[in-house]
């Protein structure tokens, strides 16, 4: 009797521990549908990038970039399209970051409020950072060719969500987090800032400014608490 990989996999699937873990993962994914739909789109687009030549990839992404040239011509299209691609082609780190930050924020705030935070951080950080780049070009600090600078990715939305999660932590644990997160993003501004550094810091400020959106989510997490009860399941 031949033992195939499919036979082994079927046997593993019948193990109670594996089945329970699989259900737990699926339950977690279902609790944050927006996060994992977005992550799925990023997986598909990342695979697509790996099948492009470097020259074609750069031009392809430039047309979906929120650079000054594309923003002046197709602002809505590129603001949406730029959030569907990862420059660099590394998807797994984002899978971890989305599960740790985006999924928790969506479970806590609900999909609509989470999307508002993501959208506000992404759009406002993009506009402010590109405005800073435009000023740098006009002042002669940056070359005119910077209008076509590649600017795609999801890091602005992620920074905003990381910041808004501060309101999910119970005082006094919240206060070190409120100091640490802005400080991490402020360091590059003091050591040779780029327009993306400006964007990340703005995104953090936007996330912190989303305090009104967390109203009705008063039950927050104490890092010292353990147990089966999770504030993620609290509904307004």
């Amino acid at each position: 009797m031949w033992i195939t990989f499919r036979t082994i996999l079927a046997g593993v699937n019948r193990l109670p521990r594996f089945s329970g873990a699989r259900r737990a993962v699926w339950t977690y994914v279902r609790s944050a549908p927006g996060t994992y739909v977005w992550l799925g789109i990023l997986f598909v687009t990342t695979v697509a990038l790996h099948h492009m030549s470097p020259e074609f990839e750069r031009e392809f992404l430039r047309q979906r970039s929120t650079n000054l040239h594309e923003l002046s011509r197709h602002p809505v299209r590129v603001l949406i399209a730029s959030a569907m691609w990862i420059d660099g082609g590394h998807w797994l780190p984002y899978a971890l970051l989305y599960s740790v930050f985006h999924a928790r924020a969506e479970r806590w705030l609900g999909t609509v409020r989470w999307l508002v935070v993501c959208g506000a951080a992404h759009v406002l950080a993009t506009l402010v950072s590109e405005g800073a780049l435009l000023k740098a070009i006009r002042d002669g600090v940056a070359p005119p060719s910077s209008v076509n600078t590649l600017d795609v990715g999801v890091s602005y939305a992620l920074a905003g969500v990381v910041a808004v999660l501060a309101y999910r932590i119970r005082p006094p644990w919240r206060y070190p987090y409120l100091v640490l997160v802005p400080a991490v993003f402020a360091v590059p501004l003091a050591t040779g800032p780029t327009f993306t550094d400006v964007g990340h810091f703005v995104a953090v400020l936007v996330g912190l400014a989303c305090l009104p959106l967390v109203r009705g989510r008063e039950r927050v997490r104490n890092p010292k608490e353990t147990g089966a009860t999770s504030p993620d399941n609290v509904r307004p």
Side-chain angles (χ1 to χ4, degrees), residues 85-147:
W85 301 86
I86 300 173
D87 185 21
H90 299 292
W91 181 82
L92 282 177
Y94 285 95
L96 175 62
L97 292 171
Y98 269 53
S99 297
V100 171
F101 296 107
H102 276 301
R104 288 184 176 274
E106 186 180 359
R107 293 176 71 188
W108 174 49
L109 295 173
T111 300
V112 173
R113 297 188 191 195
W114 164 76
L115 279 174
V116 171
V117 176
C118 291
H122 176 66
V123 172
L124 293 176
T126 296
L127 295 179
V128 172
S129 62
E130 291 297 331
L133 180 59
L134 178 60
K135 185 178 186 305
I137 293 172
R138 289 176 174 174
D139 293 345
V141 178
S145 60
S146 297
V147 297

Side-chain angles (χ1 to χ4, degrees), residues 19-20 23 44 51 54 61 63 80 83 94 99 105 108 129 161 168 187 207 213 220:
S19 179
R23 283 196 300 269
V44 172
H51 287 80
L61 290 179
Q63 294 177 12
I80 296 172
Y94 285 95
S99 297
W108 174 49
S129 62
V161 165
R168 186 175 178 266
V187 168
L213 288 176
V220 293

